[in-house]
Amino acid sequence: MVPGMTTNGGFEPVFCTVVPPHVLDKLARNDDPALSGPARRTLMRDSELRGRRRVTTEFALAAAPTAKAPSEQALRTIYDARHGTALPGTKVREEGADPGQDATVNRAYSGLGATFELFLKAYARHSIDGDGLPLDATVHYDENYNNAFWNGEQMVFGDGDGEIFLDFTIPIDVIGHELTHGVTQYTANLTYYGQPGALNESMSDVFGALIKQYTLGQTAAEADWLIGAGLLAPGVSGKALRSMKEPGSAYDDDVLGKDPQPGTMDDYVRTGRDNGGVHINSGIPNHAFYLAATALGGHAWEKAGQVWYDVLTGGELSDRAMFTDFAKLTVKAAKDRFGDGGEELQAVSKAWEQVGVRIS
Ligand SMILES: [Zn+2]
C-alpha cells in the first residue's frame, strides 16, 4: 500500500516531519556518537510515531459541526513535554495569556498566531480546517529530538541536539510548514507519496514561506526564499533546510551531506526513499512558485499565493495529482481569478515552462 493512503480511500492524516529521513539517515551513520546518537533516536521515534498514526485518525470526521461562524481570533494552547514523549504534556500558555520566561513557548505561540493570521487575512480562512480549529502545540519534546511534526492533530517541536540542529521553534516558516500540512489534509489531501506527496510538501514550503514574508512585511524581491533559516547550528555549512530560489543550494556539509533538491524536471530524482522523494522533488514546484512570485513582484501572498491557494482549496485538485495536473490548475486559477491575458496568467505559465512541467 502506498504510505498515507487508506484501503477504503478514507481520510488519513499523514505524519509530516520537517527534517526528511535522508538527512537523519546520513547523520545516524556518522562516526561521532554525539551526532549519530540523537539522529538514531529521532529516527526511531519518528518510525514509532508513523506507525501510531495509522490508528489515531479521522479526528476531523468525528468532530461535531459548529453552527456559529468561526472566530476571527486564534485559539492557541502551548504545552510542555518537559523532554518526555507523552502528548500533549503540561499546559503552559493559553490564548490571550502574557508571554512567559520560556522563549521556546513564546515562539511557538507567535508562530501559531502568524499562521492563523496569514490564512485569515489573505485568504479569509478560519484556522487550518476553515472552521476555527483550536491550534495546539507541544514544545521540548523528547531529548535531543531533531525534528518537528504535525501529527494530524497538533504541532510538536523538538529542541534539536545543539550540534546540527537548534530549537525547531526558531524558524517561523517551519511552524507554518507543519500547520499547512493540516490545511492540505483538510482540503486536497494530497497523497503523501511520489509527485502528489512532493506537491503536499511544496504546499507546506510555499505557505510556510508566505507566513514568514507576511509577518516580516516583505515583498517577493526582499524575501530570502529559504525554509528553515536559523535552524542549523553555527558549525554546519549551510543556510537552511531548503531553498525555493535555488533548490539544491541550502547546505553542503561534511556531516549533513549536500542538499539533494532539483529545481527543474531535468534533474527529477527517482527514488523509493523519503516516500518517493517527497522532500526532494518538491524543489521543482517550489521553484515554480518562486519564479511566478518574483516575476509578479509585490507581496507574494496576494497574487501567486492566491492562485496556489485557490487550487489547493478549490475542490478540483485530485489527491493523486501529478505536477502537470497541478500546474494546469494554477494556469486556470490565474485566468479565473485575474483574467485572461493578465500578467498573472503569463507569469504562472512561464514559471512552469522554466521548470520543465508541461501545462498543455
Ligand atoms: Zn512537510
Side-chain angles (χ1 to χ4, degrees), residues 50-274:
R50 236 171 234 121
R52 205 175 301 168
R53 287 278 353 117
R54 306 237 152 78
V55 291
T56 54
T57 56
E58 303 190 35
F59 65 95
L61 297 181
T66 46
K68 57 178 173 51
S71 169
E72 302 276 297
Q73 175 65 49
L75 193 55
R76 292 165 285 183
T77 311
I78 311 297
Y79 299 86
D80 189 341
R82 300 197 166 133
H83 304 288
T85 57
L87 292 176
T90 309
K91 193 187 289 178
V92 286
R93 188 169 173 193
E94 284 183 292
E95 187 62 45
D98 290 331
Q101 294 294 310
D102 187 339
T104 302
V105 171
N106 298 336
R107 277 193 299 264
Y109 185 86
S110 303
L112 261 48
T115 302
F116 185 89
E117 192 82 358
L118 173 86
F119 281 111
L120 180 68
K121 296 288 164 62
Y123 310 119
R125 183 180 190 82
H126 293 81
S127 194
I128 63 168
D129 65 342
D131 196 25
L133 185 80
L135 299 175
D136 295 342
T138 297
V139 298
H140 303 308
Y141 178 75
D142 206 353
E143 306 217 17
N144 297 320
Y145 183 69
N146 276 335
N147 230 332
F149 61 89
W150 162 256
N151 74 355
E153 296 172 45
Q154 68 158 106
M155 284 288 325
V156 179
F157 300 95
D159 290 336
D161 59 8
E163 294 279 335
I164 300 292
F165 295 106
L166 303 177
D167 186 322
F168 278 77
T169 60
I170 291 172
I172 198 164
D173 46 306
V174 164
I175 301 178
H177 174 106
E178 291 304 330
L179 286 169
T180 302
H181 278 307
V183 175
T184 299
Q185 176 189 316
Y186 279 99
T187 55
N189 199 23
L190 290 154
T191 303
Y192 206 62
Y193 192 85
Q195 286 195 19
L199 285 169
N200 189 321
E201 267 306 309
S202 181
M203 291 299 137
S204 280
D205 280 352
V206 163
F207 291 99
L210 292 179
I211 286 155
K212 178 174 166 181
Q213 291 170 25
Y214 184 87
T215 303
L216 297 174
Q218 289 177 329
T219 63
E222 289 162 347
D224 63 13
W225 296 99
L226 295 170
I227 302 298
L231 182 61
L232 298 177
V236 179
S237 301
K239 46 195 183 213
L241 288 174
R242 291 183 283 280
S243 167
M244 298 176 71
K245 180 177 182 174
E246 211 184 326
S249 72
Y251 57 88
D252 189 355
D253 180 78
D254 293 345
V255 175
L256 273 187
K258 190 182 178 310
D259 176 4
Q261 281 210 311
T264 71
M265 288 304 283
D266 287 344
D267 299 318
Y268 186 87
V269 178
R270 282 171 210 286
T271 173
R273 295 178 62 202
D274 181 30

Side-chain angles (χ1 to χ4, degrees), residues 19-32 35-37 39-40 43 164 251-259 273:
V19 177
H22 58 83
V23 173
L24 292 169
D25 281 344
K26 170 105 176 139
L27 271 177
R29 289 193 302 271
N30 197 281
D31 292 336
D32 181 355
L35 298 173
S36 61
R40 278 181 200 163
L43 277 167
I164 300 292
Y251 57 88
D252 189 355
D253 180 78
D254 293 345
V255 175
L256 273 187
K258 190 182 178 310
D259 176 4
R273 295 178 62 202

